[in-house]
Amino acid sequence: MKLWLDTANIDEIRAAARFGVVSGVTTNPSLWAKAASGADYRDVVLEICSIIDGPVSAECLAQDVDGLVEEARNISKWHPNVVVKIPLDENGLEAIHRVSREGIKVNTTLIFQPNQALLAAQAGATYVSPFVGRLDDIGQEGMAVVREIVEIFDRYHLPTQVLAASLRHPLHVVQAAKASAHIATMPYTVFQAMFKHPLTDAGIQKFLEDARKAAKVKA
Ligand code: G3P
């Protein structure tokens, strides 16, 4: 499973990039607003592309099919790594079908049930993004949707990749990996939590103390 960051915060992306384990980034208007950099969305996405050499998702906002198609064409020209995000409603599905035929890569966003993923895959989307945390928020098991989509895509050999999104804590990452999601996109705080364990910190301290003691005995 690939690890992507779900943020438009350039400092977070730079901080995570140094480990060489983050291979893509997802953004949306809310994340752009949260980053509050004052920069234009296109400039933010281009800066992300200069840091991470992998797919970078940028969201379309048009409400009608022609508008979505035009926006997707425009956004896809920003950079070769840019993937356009289109939400899965009726207009979104038609737009996904039209732009995918032109070779534009689509990350289908706001997926909450397997039928939406099945439709997006048949329409030619490169990725589907089930929103796990938002389903958990309303008392449904979000990860169950990831599992179902993976099972369906595997059974019918659909090439669309399952991108587990709206992950809120490190256990979601483990669960996404066990569900065989192709990608997990996560906030920087969740990424940081992946490395942490109190026994690791305590173990490092103990080894240091013991090394100091051993060095004194030797001297
Ligand atoms: O990738 C989708 C993500 O940004 C949504 O996360 O936490 O707003 O549900 P959240």
Side-chain angles (χ1 to χ4, degrees):
M1 184 177 75
K2 290 180 180 147
L3 305 177
W4 289 8
L5 274 196
D6 191 32
T7 182
N9 182 311
I10 299 296
D11 292 339
E12 290 180 349
I13 293 165
R14 277 193 206 290
R18 69 203 150 107
F19 304 110
V21 299
V22 171
S23 56
V25 175
T26 47
T27 70
N28 62 37
S30 307
L31 293 171
W32 174 37
K34 195 173 159 199
S37 65
D40 184 84
Y41 190 34
R42 180 176 178 274
D43 291 340
V44 172
V45 170
L46 287 179
E47 191 161 4
I48 296 171
C49 290
S50 75
I51 302 167
I52 299 287
D53 185 20
V56 175
S57 291
E59 186 121 7
C60 292
L61 294 174
Q63 298 294 298
D64 61 301
V65 179
D66 287 338
L68 279 168
V69 169
E70 196 186 321
E71 201 179 1
R73 285 180 182 146
N74 176 32
I75 290 176
S76 69
K77 287 184 194 129
W78 289 354
H79 188 280
N81 286 351
V82 167
V83 173
V84 298
K85 263 179 139 175
I86 299 181
L88 198 287
D89 60 4
E90 224 174 285
N91 287 345
L93 185 61
E94 186 177 340
I96 291 165
H97 164 61
R98 282 173 53 185
V99 303
S100 295
R101 279 188 309 186
E102 297 175 13
I104 292 173
K105 287 190 176 165
V106 176
N107 172 3
T108 314
T109 190
L110 292 167
I111 296 264
F112 293 99
Q113 54 124 327
N115 282 329
Q116 292 177 309
L118 186 55
L119 289 168
Q122 304 276 359
T126 304
Y127 307 97
V128 288
S129 290
F131 274 30
V132 174
R134 290 194 195 183
L135 281 167
D136 289 357
D137 287 345
I138 60 159
Q140 292 181 24
E141 195 205 341
M143 205 55 73
V145 175
V146 174
R147 281 194 295 273
E148 285 178 302
I149 297 170
V150 168
E151 184 186 338
I152 293 165
F153 284 10
D154 277 356
R155 187 166 312 168
Y156 294 104
H157 308 290
L158 295 169
T160 305
Q161 296 184 52
V162 182
L163 200 177
S166 181
L167 303 184
R168 303 277 175 75
H169 49 70
L171 193 53
H172 269 157
V173 182
V174 176
Q175 290 165 342
K178 288 172 78 174
S180 304
H182 300 91
I183 306 149
T185 191
M186 68 202 76
Y188 183 60
T189 47
V190 173
F191 175 72
Q192 283 181 306
M194 285 178 73
F195 342 172
K196 292 202 176 125
H197 197 284
L199 290 180
T200 305
D201 297 339
I204 290 169
Q205 281 311 313
K206 178 84 174 97
F207 286 148
L208 278 174
E209 284 162 25
D210 288 347
R212 276 189 212 112
K213 280 183 207 157
K216 269 188 198 153
V217 170
K218 206 178 153 204

